[in-house]
Amino acid sequence: MSVSLRHFICSAGLLCLAAPVFSQSSSNGIAAVVNGNVVTKSEVRDAVNAQEQMLRIQLQNDPAALKRELSNLRANALDSLIDRELVLAEFKRLGAAIKSQWVDDDINSIVRENFKGDREAFVKELANSGMTLKKFREMREKMMIVQAMRGRQAAEQPPATPREVEEFYKKHVAKWRTGDMIKISTITIPKYSGDASASPESQRKLAQEIRSKLLKGADFATTARTYSLDSHAEDGGAWDWMGREQMKPSIANVAFNLKTGGLSEVIDDEAAYIILTCDAVKYGTPKPMGEVREEIERVISAEKSKAIVDKWMDTLRKRAVIKKFGW
């Protein structure tokens, strides 16, 4: 499947896959029943697979974040599909309707902007992904309904106050800084050391034992010279000053969140387990608050909207009859 089409299939998230009804004896299996409507196990699996593909593309350079997001996705997949059913049921209860023309316009826009107006190529790409045009249309319609219902709830809210903007800016000032520099020291334990008796699991255990020694007061530089197997081990694990852009995102995100002298957790970084400490940090200059005010106001607005929608969804869940069987 092309990335562009996968985007439109996944952009609806776990809320948009159709919900065919099967008997409980079906090999497909029932994952949940929401107010009498069935969510099947295959729906959950299909939704997870689609989302996983997108995450692997988006986070291919940040394995730690990918692992975390995949775990969250799998943990919340069934609840997300249940929420979809609740929103669609509320839409139906209100007697609302979505015009067919709106869905047609949405699909025509996808064809025009991503397939240069070639509808035949669009349908062929759908077929290659194992999806019919009818199924895709159902997904987009459900997505539009869910978005409209959520937007309806969050439409009325007060704008961000000057105090809220100022507090947000101070709390997230690092986001608008440029030129941050950091000095770190690392201890690197490869997952495959060349020792036939060692395994990734035993190496991870070793890294955790080393971290425990450091927490109890062991000298980082001495420990690095003893255990570390990277190019900086002889220097006690010490690196020269680096900017965020010079570091792998998975390492930079951890390093810049440490206080000076702080010790990281054991980082699972592809071929090795890494422990790092922040030796020193020099912060760059942030953009003035006035330059980022509009951006901050949009973020605060989005957070307020989410809070309103979350409260609404909680109300829908409390008055619904939900049976979960797992997937």
Side-chain angles (χ1 to χ4, degrees):
M1 191 191 309
S2 69
V3 174
S4 60
L5 183 55
R6 186 186 293 116
H7 166 75
F8 287 107
I9 292 176
C10 295
S11 63
L14 297 176
L15 297 174
C16 299
L17 297 180
V21 177
F22 294 87
S23 66
Q24 191 157 1
S25 62
S26 169
S27 60
N28 183 36
I30 294 176
V33 179
V34 185
N35 291 330
N37 295 318
V38 168
V39 176
T40 65
K41 293 181 179 179
S42 67
E43 283 184 82
V44 185
R45 290 192 296 268
D46 288 346
V48 168
N49 289 339
Q51 291 287 74
E52 281 187 353
Q53 290 173 9
M54 182 60 71
L55 285 173
R56 292 184 192 283
I57 292 170
Q58 295 172 335
L59 301 173
Q60 57 185 314
N61 296 321
D62 193 344
L66 175 61
K67 182 178 180 180
R68 182 176 62 252
E69 291 302 318
L70 288 177
S71 177
N72 290 338
L73 169 64
R74 292 161 186 161
N76 298 318
L78 181 54
D79 287 336
S80 294
L81 282 171
I82 288 172
D83 283 353
R84 175 208 64 183
E85 289 300 321
L86 294 174
V87 174
L88 294 175
E90 181 68 3
F91 181 80
K92 183 177 180 180
R93 186 186 72 81
L94 294 173
I98 186 169
K99 293 182 179 179
S100 296
Q101 185 61 47
W102 294 349
V103 184
D104 293 338
D105 290 345
D106 173 71
I107 293 176
N108 289 338
S109 177
I110 293 172
V111 174
R112 183 174 59 254
E113 296 175 9
N114 294 271
F115 294 87
K116 299 180 179 179
D118 189 342
R119 195 172 186 86
E120 184 176 339
F122 167 67
V123 174
K124 183 178 180 180
E125 186 65 25
L126 281 176
N128 290 338
S129 69
M131 181 172 292
T132 64
L133 179 58
K134 180 181 179 182
K135 180 78 168 181
F136 185 78
R137 193 181 190 286
E138 289 175 354
M139 289 173 58
R140 297 300 292 182
E141 182 175 0
K142 289 177 183 293
M143 180 200 72
M144 294 173 73
I145 290 172
V146 170
Q147 288 180 340
M149 290 293 286
R150 289 175 179 265
R152 179 173 179 265
Q153 294 300 315
E156 297 183 6
Q157 58 173 304
T161 66
R163 182 175 180 179
E164 287 175 331
V165 171
E166 183 178 359
E167 290 178 350
F168 188 95
Y169 176 78
K170 289 179 179 178
K171 184 177 180 180
H172 301 90
V173 68
K175 175 181 174 64
W176 296 287
R177 274 199 312 260
T178 56
D180 286 359
M181 300 290 288
I182 193 169
K183 285 188 73 173
I184 63 171
S185 293
T186 58
I187 295 175
T188 302
I189 306 298
K191 293 182 179 180
Y192 300 95
S193 64
D195 183 346
S197 63
S199 67
E201 179 58 29
S202 66
Q203 293 294 89
R204 182 185 63 80
K205 185 177 180 181
L206 173 61
Q208 291 175 332
E209 291 173 352
I210 292 170
R211 183 176 184 275
S212 294
K213 292 180 180 180
L214 295 170
L215 289 173
K216 292 177 181 178
D219 180 68
F220 195 99
T222 302
T223 306
R225 293 187 185 98
T226 303
Y227 294 100
S228 186
L229 292 176
D230 62 31
S231 59
H232 294 263
E234 291 185 2
D235 299 321
W239 292 65
D240 201 355
W241 287 101
M242 292 183 290
R244 181 183 289 270
E245 69 282 355
Q246 295 174 274
M247 306 168 70
K248 292 180 64 175
S250 56
I251 301 298
N253 291 339
V254 174
F256 278 98
N257 280 320
L258 289 175
K259 295 180 179 179
T260 301
L263 186 70
S264 75
E265 299 287 340
V266 174
I267 303 169
D268 187 340
D269 188 59
E270 298 182 13
Y273 297 108
I274 298 174
I275 304 166
L276 65 85
T277 185
C278 172
D279 298 322
V281 62
K282 293 188 293 189
Y283 295 118
T285 303
K287 292 181 180 179
M289 187 173 67
E291 290 186 16
V292 295
R293 179 179 295 277
E294 290 186 2
E295 179 184 349
I296 293 174
E297 289 174 345
R298 286 194 297 270
V299 173
I300 293 175
S301 177
E303 290 180 348
K304 288 183 176 180
S305 295
K306 183 180 183 303
I308 292 170
V309 171
D310 286 348
K311 183 177 180 180
W312 173 63
M313 288 302 308
D314 189 53
T315 299
L316 294 183
R317 294 183 194 109
K318 287 180 178 178
R319 75 184 190 202
V321 178
I322 302 171
K323 294 181 180 180
K324 294 198 288 187
F325 303 101
W327 62 282

